[in-house]
Amino acid sequence: MKKILTLFAVVGLIAFTSCEGPEGPPGLDAPMPVAFEIETSFSFNTTDGYIISDSFSKYLKTDLYQNESVLIYRLEGVNNSGSDVWQLIPTTVFFPNGDSITYDYNFSKQAFTIFVGGDNVAGKPSFINKQVFRFVVIPADFGVSVNKSNYFEVMKALNLNESQIQEIKL
């Protein structure tokens, strides 16, 4: 009896492990994290104020996937050791005279708009002309434990380095 059970077990094991069916449909490629940089000036219109607006396909050759999100960092300046200082937007800049300006943005899967508004924006040309922004495209469910305010932590978590950033001057 034991020999018959062993025989059935061996035959069953072979039968189930050697079964193959038709190959399933190909899956979608997982979107890869990507970063790009633009240097541009804000334009003004009476409806929206100071804005930068453009399509993602111009920089990425495609729209965003449904499960992607975007973080945008503004080059705030350079620290004492010569390293760039990146600031996650939205953010507010305060001035000694009590004025403030705020950078903010929104995006769809096709396009983005960066806004700047506040006190006497036109009187602060160094904050609206030749601004540098870095866009980091991330999976929408990107790590809850990553400090997204820290540009360098985000880049490290996504395994991206500075040489992979496309620099685009407008």
Side-chain angles (χ1 to χ4, degrees):
M1 187 68 165
K2 284 186 179 182
K3 289 183 182 184
I4 293 176
L5 284 175
T6 305
L7 179 63
F8 282 132
V10 170
V11 170
L13 182 63
I14 292 171
F16 287 119
T17 58
S18 63
C19 290
E20 284 190 29
E23 189 173 323
L28 295 174
D29 289 336
M32 298 299 293
V34 65
F36 65 93
E37 176 180 297
I38 65 171
E39 180 178 339
T40 190
S41 296
F42 285 87
S43 60
F44 180 80
N45 70 56
T46 54
T47 305
D48 301 317
Y50 289 94
I51 65 167
I52 297 168
S53 190
D54 217 333
S55 69
F56 284 113
S57 62
K58 181 176 180 178
Y59 308 102
L60 303 174
K61 308 297 184 238
T62 184
D63 293 338
L64 296 182
Y65 288 99
Q66 193 61 35
N67 63 342
E68 288 181 317
S69 189
V70 176
L71 299 173
I72 302 178
Y73 297 85
R74 177 182 164 268
L75 180 61
E76 183 181 18
V78 178
N79 66 16
N80 292 337
S81 62
S83 298
D84 291 342
V85 177
W86 295 99
Q87 186 175 48
L88 179 65
I89 61 175
T91 190
T92 301
V93 178
F94 297 98
F95 298 92
N97 68 353
D99 284 356
S100 66
I101 59 172
T102 300
Y103 294 93
D104 202 352
Y105 72 101
N106 63 33
F107 70 95
S108 68
K109 299 303 171 194
Q110 296 79 31
F112 64 87
T113 303
I114 303 172
F115 307 90
V116 63
D119 304 313
N120 189 23
V121 176
K124 299 172 178 62
S126 64
F127 288 85
I128 56 175
N129 296 326
K130 293 187 179 181
Q131 295 296 293
V132 179
F133 294 96
R134 283 206 175 158
F135 293 70
V136 182
V137 180
I138 60 171
D141 59 355
F142 179 62
V144 209
S145 62
V146 176
N147 176 6
K148 293 175 190 74
S149 295
N150 187 322
Y151 166 76
F152 297 104
E153 282 185 33
V154 170
M155 294 296 283
K156 183 177 178 184
L158 293 171
N159 291 325
L160 290 173
N161 60 50
E162 296 295 305
S163 66
Q164 294 173 288
I165 296 172
Q166 306 168 37
E167 292 184 16
I168 302 160
K169 297 194 187 308
L170 302 177

